[in-house]
Amino acid sequence: QGQLAESGGGSVQAGGSLKLSCEVSRWIEDCWGWAWFRQAPGKKREGVAAIDNDGDTSYADSVKGRFTISRDRSKNTLYLQMNRLKPEDTGMYYCAAIWALNDGEDMSMVVSGSLRMNYWGKGTQVTISS
């Protein structure tokens, strides 16, 4: 591993914003799909947002309208802009990448957790206080 490196996590009050970044190694920049996941202590890991190389996106219902995923290919960086943060957004956030999709698969299946990601970052902590 070591092909993805997250940054930008921290502590913020509810209602605030954070922007996470994930630096992508040139060795995996040709992957098709990119995503953010999060996991809180005692809870299962959940998909947050995903984007493919066509620009198609998918978001968990809990973050729609508040989070935006994007990728700047020229900078080899994946982003997650998080606005109007809530305490329930607290967790370790991970970026991940998938080599390719089969016919009939899309980013919604990445967010739902039904597809296995091929690369993972080490995570960055996000803590939202009420």
Side-chain angles (χ1 to χ4, degrees):
Q1 49 185 317
Q3 307 301 328
L4 299 167
E6 306 94 334
S7 63
S11 298
V12 66
Q13 289 184 301
S17 298
L18 283 173
K19 187 174 184 178
L20 306 183
S21 298
C22 176
E23 184 177 349
V24 179
S25 168
R26 68 181 187 276
W27 303 111
I28 68 164
E29 63 184 3
D30 290 329
C31 284
W32 178 253
W34 314 87
W36 289 94
F37 293 79
R38 67 187 181 189
Q39 185 171 25
K43 294 186 177 181
K44 295 181 178 180
R45 183 181 62 201
E46 62 177 346
V48 176
I51 185 170
D52 67 22
N53 287 347
D54 282 339
D56 294 328
T57 59
S58 181
Y59 296 91
D61 289 342
S62 61
V63 308
K64 287 181 179 177
R66 299 188 298 120
F67 290 12
T68 302
I69 186 171
S70 62
R71 184 188 176 208
D72 188 334
R73 186 178 180 86
S74 67
K75 297 181 179 179
N76 297 120
T77 304
L78 180 72
Y79 301 99
L80 183 67
Q81 177 66 52
M82 306 185 292
N83 299 322
R84 299 200 305 116
L85 285 160
K86 304 175 180 180
E88 64 199 59
D89 295 319
T90 293
M92 186 70 72
Y93 282 68
Y94 303 88
C95 61
I98 188 169
W99 290 332
L101 302 179
N102 293 320
D103 289 343
E105 297 177 337
D106 59 26
M107 292 297 99
S108 68
M109 299 176 70
V110 170
V111 173
S112 72
S114 63
L115 295 179
R116 185 183 303 277
M117 309 305 286
N118 300 111
Y119 301 97
W120 291 88
K122 294 183 178 180
T124 185
Q125 179 67 38
V126 171
T127 303
I128 312 302
S129 59
S130 61

